[in-house]
Amino acid sequence: MSDHEPHSTDPRTGRGELPPKSPLGGVVHTYQKYDPREFPSPTQPEPPDMVSSAFEHLLMYGNRRRLTPEQLAEAIRLDPADIAGLGPSLSALLAMLEERKRRILESYETETVLRSADETFRHRARETRLPKPFRKRLHDAVRHEQLYDLERLWYDADMTEPGAAQQILKLMDRLAEKYQVDELAANYDFSGDQPLTVPEALEVKRELEQIDELIRQLEEAMENAQIAIIDLDALSEYTEPGDLERLREIQQMVENYIREQAERQGLEMGADGALRLTPQAYRLFQGKLLERIFSSLSESKTGRHQVDIQGEGAVELPQTKSYEFGDSVSQMDIPQSLINAMLRQGDERPLRLTTDDIVVHRTRNTPKCATAVIMDMSGSMQYGGQYIHVKRMALALDGLIRSEYPGDSVHFLEMATFARRCPPGEIIELMPKPVTIHDPFVKLYADMSNPDLNRMLIPPHFTNIQHALQMSRRLLASQDTPNRQVILITDGLPTAHYEESLLYMIYPPCSATEEATLREGLLCQREGITINIFLIPSWSQSEEDIRFAYRLAESTTGRVFFTSGSDLDRYVVWDYVNHRRDVIG
């Protein structure tokens, strides 16, 4: 039937039928031969990046929300050329849906159904009889066509007048239908002459919205080969069964390929179905971070060169310890590790080492440069997602030192109300501390020498720079090098400090907390430790925050850097490379 022929008429109702849901005729699908074992093409220069998607997810959510295989699949970008010719043409399916949409829009007009929906609502309103206390509210709600006002009226009437509440509920249904008809007429340009009833208009609206969503999915799949995002059940209403089955096969192939690449890049599937990040994944992600940072600064011609790493410059001691994430396997005690594996496996072969089997030699290191990185995880860091930039910076700096400056040492500390040392493997899981006190003025103290006082009872979201500097100073004191520095990443003034065993938590920040923090800075200066501050923006930041940062940094001949947050990793890593060259060279 041509587009200009009249549509058929339903003899039961006398109204025109909706255009039949038949696929676009005259399209012949041809499929190229392929080997499922070689999908995508083996000539692809580089596999898709899996670890970045997983790490970006965990940087945002920590371990509160595990990354599922479905979320990973949606984040992966494949080359559309990899699936070209392996199934029904996505462009042909797209043309079929657009043709279906065009025929619908050219078939109907909406002026009639707009009047009908309005008249039905007004008629229902006239038939609604409410007790006198509710009449004015009903009149106002109907006049302004406010569904929210009717909902409030229904709630109040349901408490005292159940019969009246039932009438209001029916009126709300009519108004909701009118809303949907108005939305249909506003969102789509109909050019036909066939009138619609309200139920038919709602069905047309549902179908057009479904077609629009499928078109969006197909267009996205054509851009990045994300077959998994296509709703095949919804598409089955418009396509041929053979095409749909072929799409399902390709979808499964893409999922299998993503799962295989994830395993190769160090993403392991846990028993709970969630993905687990291995040390291999950490190294890949850190490498990609550094590649991004230095490639964006390549025009500066900094003189940075790749060199062969001959070891970590550490002297092995007779003592050994169990392997921990971040330990170098170059210090592995191979005989003892193999004995542990044999004791665990018994007669089972081949012999497989696990991290629980590995023991490494303890080492004494004389680093060329020692750094303590203080990461602010107080409550204010959640605003604008600043904590994500801090964690990304820490991972990049850790990767830089491990790969290019293995003779250096770096320690990471998490700072909030308390400071604690954070192993590199836990950086990804750090999250800002939840704000538990919302009063505009807070003055609290706790005697931490009290054995009955648990840290879990202390509000966790304050900023204790003094405690973090104290821990950093003690960590760096054991490093046998004159080149020692603290990198402090924060968004403002300290709001907590110690006076002997008393912990004070004061907001807004007070001079006592600032002076206690500055005294700790002077102790760092006496021990030859430089404090460099990276100040990231905050909604509450003021000139006072900036002045304090300068006072603290200048007391140790350090510097203050201002960064938007998103550039934090670039600033810190780049400054580490340049400043290290100046000091050691």
Side-chain angles (χ1 to χ4, degrees), residues 296-337:
S296 67
L297 296 166
S298 58
E299 296 179 358
S300 299
K301 297 182 179 180
T302 63
R304 172 180 180 267
H305 302 288
Q306 298 287 346
V307 296
D308 294 331
I309 304 300
Q310 301 297 330
E312 298 199 0
V315 178
E316 293 185 358
L317 301 176
Q319 299 91 347
T320 59
K321 68 183 186 69
S322 299
Y323 172 84
E324 297 176 3
F325 178 83
D327 288 338
S328 173
V329 294
S330 63
Q331 274 92 39
M332 182 172 64
D333 185 341
I334 297 177
Q336 185 60 52
S337 299

Side-chain angles (χ1 to χ4, degrees), residues 202-266:
L202 298 181
E203 174 60 25
V204 167
K205 179 175 180 292
R206 183 203 66 81
E207 183 174 350
L208 286 173
E209 289 175 346
Q210 185 179 69
I211 290 175
D212 284 344
E213 176 61 20
L214 287 171
I215 288 175
R216 184 195 65 79
Q217 293 172 3
L218 287 170
E219 289 175 342
E220 188 171 345
M222 291 172 66
E223 290 181 5
N224 52 42
Q226 285 188 336
I227 303 296
I229 68 173
I230 301 176
D231 186 347
L232 299 185
D233 292 333
L235 188 62
S236 65
E237 297 185 28
Y238 307 97
T239 189
E240 298 175 353
D243 288 345
L244 193 67
E245 197 59 37
R246 206 62 172 170
L247 271 178
R248 291 190 191 278
E249 292 178 7
I250 300 175
Q251 188 180 71
Q252 186 61 48
M253 285 175 15
V254 171
E255 291 176 358
N256 292 340
Y257 172 71
I258 290 175
R259 187 180 300 109
E260 177 186 349
Q261 289 298 327
E263 292 175 356
R264 289 182 179 180
Q265 296 180 34

Side-chain angles (χ1 to χ4, degrees), residues 16 66 87 126 154 161 210 232 257 378 400 484 515 521:
R66 306 299 295 175
R126 289 191 294 270
W154 168 82
E161 300 287 342
Q210 185 179 69
L232 299 185
Y257 172 71
S378 59
L400 172 75
R484 293 175 293 175
E515 294 304 321

Side-chain angles (χ1 to χ4, degrees), residues 110 113 180-181 184 196-206:
T110 54
V113 73
Q180 294 189 66
V181 172
L184 173 68
L196 289 165
T197 64
V198 172
E200 289 172 344
L202 298 181
E203 174 60 25
V204 167
K205 179 175 180 292
R206 183 203 66 81

Side-chain angles (χ1 to χ4, degrees), residues 87-153:
S89 167
L90 297 183
S91 58
L93 295 174
L94 187 63
M96 175 190 66
L97 291 172
E98 290 174 342
E99 171 68 9
R100 172 69 181 172
K101 179 178 178 179
R102 184 189 65 80
R103 291 177 60 192
I104 293 175
L105 295 178
E106 291 181 355
S107 298
Y108 302 108
E109 55 87 13
T110 54
E111 292 296 330
T112 302
V113 73
L114 284 170
R115 289 194 300 270
S116 176
D118 182 72
E119 291 171 359
T120 302
F121 169 65
R122 303 292 172 185
H123 178 72
R124 181 71 254 178
R126 289 191 294 270
E127 289 186 344
T128 303
R129 298 286 186 264
L130 299 184
K132 189 173 182 179
F134 300 118
R135 290 175 188 171
K136 186 179 186 307
R137 293 173 59 187
L138 173 66
H139 179 267
D140 292 341
V142 171
R143 182 162 60 90
H144 297 293
E145 298 181 1
Q146 290 296 313
L147 188 60
Y148 174 78
D149 292 343
L150 288 177
E151 290 174 345
R152 299 288 301 174
L153 184 59

Side-chain angles (χ1 to χ4, degrees), residues 55 64 70 79 98 125 308 415 460 486 493 547 555:
F55 270 85
R64 296 184 307 181
E70 292 77 14
D79 186 351
E98 290 174 342
D308 294 331
M415 176 185 68
V486 171
L493 290 168
R547 284 202 302 265
S555 68

Side-chain angles (χ1 to χ4, degrees), residues 52 59 122 134 223 340 374-375 400 403 405 424 461 509 523 530 544:
S52 293
L59 282 172
R122 303 292 172 185
F134 300 118
E223 290 181 5
N340 292 342
I374 300 173
M375 302 173 290
L400 172 75
S403 62
Y405 305 110
H461 59 274
L523 292 176
T530 301
E544 188 178 354

